[in-house]
């Protein structure tokens, strides 16, 4: 049996939406970089917002292939829009090396994350909890929330606050630890695995920055 045009259109609609959302997100991220508002630049530069979006795409997808395809398409469209806006509108030129790297991630790590979240949110136990909790901890320790915690611990530290970014990281971590796990047991595992990941986050982020 072959799919009717109506069925085909319904199947393609989520991909078209992912492309459109990715294009808008890419333009918004680049506009945030150039806005002069640090909080807007932080949202595009730190991983919290993108981890949250990819996780939600994977969670809501109806299948593993859909989770991978939709998250990868979203991120690829966002990447093209980000660097395309910089080159064609802002006249910054094409950063071909970074474009290739992020498109590579859009075809590998990003779909893998979407698939992982889809799988983990439909199962119980320590492994699904770890697969959700470790990213939550990495996000929570990656920027604004960590700076706020360190400054609170040592009042002598002169660290610039990032309240908007800190809020984005806390929201992302809570979604991954509390909302997405299937049951209470898995939530406990997610919370337990998030704690050590918080302290590993600076090293992981440093490696990412060296690569891209």
């Amino acid at each position: 049996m072959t799919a009717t045009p109506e069925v085909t259109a319904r199947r393609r609609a989520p991909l078209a939406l992912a492309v459109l959302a990715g294009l808008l997100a890419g333009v918004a991220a680049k506009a945030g970089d150039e806005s002069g508002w640090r909080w807007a630049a932080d949202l595009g530069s730190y991983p919290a917002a993108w981890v949250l979006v990819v996780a939600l795409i994977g969670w809501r997808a109806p299948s593993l292939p859909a989770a991978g395809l939709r998250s990868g398409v979203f991120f690829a469209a966002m990447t093209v829009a980000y660097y395309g806006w910089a080159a064609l509108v802002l006249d910054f030129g094409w950063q071909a090396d970074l474009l290739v790297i992020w498109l590579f991630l859009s075809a590998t790590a990003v779909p893998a994350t979407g698939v992982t979240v889809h799988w983990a949110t439909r199962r119980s136990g320590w492994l699904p909890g770890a697969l959700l909790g470790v990213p939550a901890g990495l996000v929570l320790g990656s920027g604004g929330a960590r700076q706020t915690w360190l400054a609170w611990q040592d009042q002598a530290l002169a660290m610039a606050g990032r309240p908007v970014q800190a809020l984005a990281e806390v929201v992302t971590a809570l979604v991954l630890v509390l909302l997405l796990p299937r049951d209470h047991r898995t939530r406990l595992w997610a919370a337990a695995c998030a704690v050590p990941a918080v302290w590993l986050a600076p090293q992981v982020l440093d490696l990412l920055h060296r690569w891209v």
Side-chain angles (χ1 to χ4, degrees), residues 133-156:
V134 170
L138 293 177
V139 165
L140 198 57
S142 66
R146 180 174 178 271
Q147 286 188 4
T148 302
W149 171 259
L150 291 175
W152 182 75
Q153 287 287 304
D154 186 352
Q155 300 296 326

Side-chain angles (χ1 to χ4, degrees), residues 160-207:
R162 286 182 160 87
V164 175
Q165 182 59 33
L167 178 61
E169 291 164 4
V170 170
V171 169
T172 300
L174 290 177
V175 168
L176 289 170
V177 170
L178 298 180
L179 176 63
L180 298 190
R182 186 175 182 178
D183 52 36
H184 293 308
R185 175 169 166 257
T186 308
R187 291 186 184 97
L188 290 175
W189 276 112
C193 292
V195 173
V198 170
W199 306 112
L200 292 175
Q203 290 79 10
V204 173
L205 193 61
D206 182 59
L207 288 175

Side-chain angles (χ1 to χ4, degrees), residues 4-200:
T4 65
E6 291 79 8
V7 172
T8 301
R10 285 199 298 271
R11 290 175 179 173
R12 291 178 178 174
L15 286 181
L17 183 59
V19 171
L20 178 59
L23 293 175
L24 293 175
V27 171
K30 191 58 188 176
D33 283 349
E34 303 305 318
S35 67
W37 297 336
R38 189 180 63 185
W39 66 266
D42 286 346
L43 286 176
S45 301
Y46 287 93
W50 311 123
V51 170
L52 179 60
V53 171
V54 172
L56 292 177
I57 290 174
W59 176 46
R60 295 297 299 169
S63 65
L64 288 173
L69 184 59
R70 293 178 187 179
S71 57
V73 164
F74 167 83
F75 215 85
M78 183 190 71
T79 298
V80 171
Y82 182 92
Y83 289 104
W85 189 267
L88 301 176
V89 178
L90 302 178
D91 200 26
F92 287 171
W94 287 96
Q95 295 177 286
D97 52 345
L98 292 176
L99 177 62
V100 169
I101 288 173
W102 285 109
L103 286 177
F104 175 75
L105 291 175
S106 299
T108 53
V110 173
T113 301
V115 166
T116 298
V117 170
H118 180 89
W119 183 88
T121 53
R122 287 156 176 80
R123 287 162 178 81
S124 302
W126 71 268
L127 182 56
L131 291 175
L132 295 171
V134 170
L138 293 177
V139 165
L140 198 57
S142 66
R146 180 174 178 271
Q147 286 188 4
T148 302
W149 171 259
L150 291 175
W152 182 75
Q153 287 287 304
D154 186 352
Q155 300 296 326
L157 287 176
M159 303 181 71
R162 286 182 160 87
V164 175
Q165 182 59 33
L167 178 61
E169 291 164 4
V170 170
V171 169
T172 300
L174 290 177
V175 168
L176 289 170
V177 170
L178 298 180
L179 176 63
L180 298 190
R182 186 175 182 178
D183 52 36
H184 293 308
R185 175 169 166 257
T186 308
R187 291 186 184 97
L188 290 175
W189 276 112
C193 292
V195 173
V198 170
W199 306 112
L200 292 175

